Amino acid sequence: MDQLRPRYTSQEDTEPGEPPVFSPEEAHQSPKVSEQVVQQPGPGMAPDQAQSRQRQAYRNPRLPTGDEYGPGHPRSEYPIDHMCYDTSNDKVVGKFKDEALGRPISEVVALSSKMYAYRQEPLPCDNKPAKEEKRAKGVCRAIVKSELNLSKYKKCLFGLQVFENQQAVIRSKNHKLGVYHQLKTSLSPIDTKRYILDDGINTYAFGHYKIGEMEIMKMFY
């Protein structure tokens, strides 16, 4: 049965005994080591095309290594200096892909399915600033990029605010294309596919055995 799933997660929410959320400051404190790495030939590459390169990696015991992802995890889009960089499974169909490309995620707001945002912290090896990734199903990419941000996702979750945006879309009616302007609900705190608890953060899948117990408790208390 499905377990408890939170709609908001941050570094401060890590409890003792649980796997800690990676902190970018800890990576700078980790020992910096140099090693000679032999790049394995990927699909379509001859064995003599394997290249040896010198890389530096910040090894942190809390960071997962390449073996922990399991065999066949594609990591070719990681920074070249990343400790888990590998091209052996580049562009292979059916493989799970790391959406954050090895960068630690410090904060996540998941309002519902295909409506979430998270903050990526930079890696010491790529020297890129922190950035926010946002997803909102049915909303134009230009609106998501320019109008939505992580703070609005948190206002929607904690303040129960509904955000709407005006967007132009191309629709076909009677085999005739036209441009229409519509008012689209971009962010909503209501998730109709999950049972939301009283705290507004944690959810259960419908059919969970604890839902019936909580509904009975609400009837008598």
Side-chain angles (χ1 to χ4, degrees), residues 6-221:
R7 304 171 73 191
Y8 177 78
T9 306
S10 65
Q11 293 181 355
E12 290 77 11
D13 297 335
T14 304
E15 298 181 357
E18 295 184 353
V21 179
F22 173 73
S23 175
E25 290 78 8
E26 295 176 354
H28 294 278
Q29 300 174 1
S30 301
K32 184 177 181 181
V33 298
S34 290
E35 60 179 2
Q36 188 74 15
V37 178
V38 178
Q39 180 178 351
Q40 300 296 331
M45 293 178 57
D48 56 352
Q49 291 180 319
Q51 302 174 356
S52 64
R53 53 188 170 83
Q54 187 79 15
R55 73 176 181 183
Q56 292 179 339
Y58 289 85
R59 296 201 175 277
N60 193 308
R62 297 184 178 183
L63 263 178
T65 61
D67 297 335
E68 295 179 4
Y69 284 114
H73 181 82
R75 301 182 295 272
S76 60
E77 297 186 8
Y78 282 23
I80 297 179
D81 294 336
H82 196 277
M83 59 189 301
C84 299
Y85 178 81
D86 183 28
T87 59
S88 58
N89 289 279
D90 186 19
K91 307 299 182 183
V92 178
V93 179
K95 302 290 185 180
F96 282 99
K97 180 182 177 183
D98 186 1
E99 186 176 342
L101 301 179
R103 297 180 179 88
I105 298 177
S106 60
E107 192 173 11
V108 180
V109 182
L111 299 177
S112 62
S113 176
K114 299 181 181 180
M115 185 183 296
Y116 60 92
Y118 58 89
R119 178 182 175 84
Q120 293 183 6
E121 298 296 338
L123 285 173
C125 58
D126 57 6
N127 297 323
K128 292 183 179 180
K131 66 175 183 177
E132 298 178 358
E133 291 290 340
K134 301 155 288 184
R135 301 290 186 270
K137 182 181 180 181
V139 184
C140 295
R141 294 181 180 179
I143 300 296
V144 175
K145 183 178 180 180
S146 60
E147 300 293 336
L148 302 183
N149 51 48
L150 188 61
S151 61
K152 287 188 176 181
Y153 281 80
K154 290 193 286 187
K155 289 180 181 179
C156 179
L157 178 61
F158 298 112
L160 303 180
Q161 299 184 17
V162 178
F163 292 89
E164 297 178 341
N165 293 96
Q166 189 83 17
Q167 64 181 11
V169 294
I170 299 177
R171 292 289 183 268
S172 175
K173 291 185 178 181
N174 297 326
H175 301 283
K176 292 183 180 180
L177 293 176
V179 179
Y180 301 89
H181 293 272
Q182 62 177 194
L183 185 63
K184 178 71 175 180
T185 301
S186 55
L187 299 178
S188 174
I190 302 175
D191 185 6
T192 58
K193 297 182 179 180
R194 302 280 300 183
Y195 181 88
I196 304 176
L197 301 185
D198 294 336
D199 57 3
I201 304 298
N202 297 306
T203 63
Y204 282 115
F206 286 108
H208 198 279
Y209 73 96
K210 287 188 177 181
I211 296 179
E213 298 176 359
M214 289 185 292
E215 292 295 332
I216 294 176
M217 295 293 292
K218 292 180 181 179
M219 294 174 57
F220 294 96
Y221 297 98

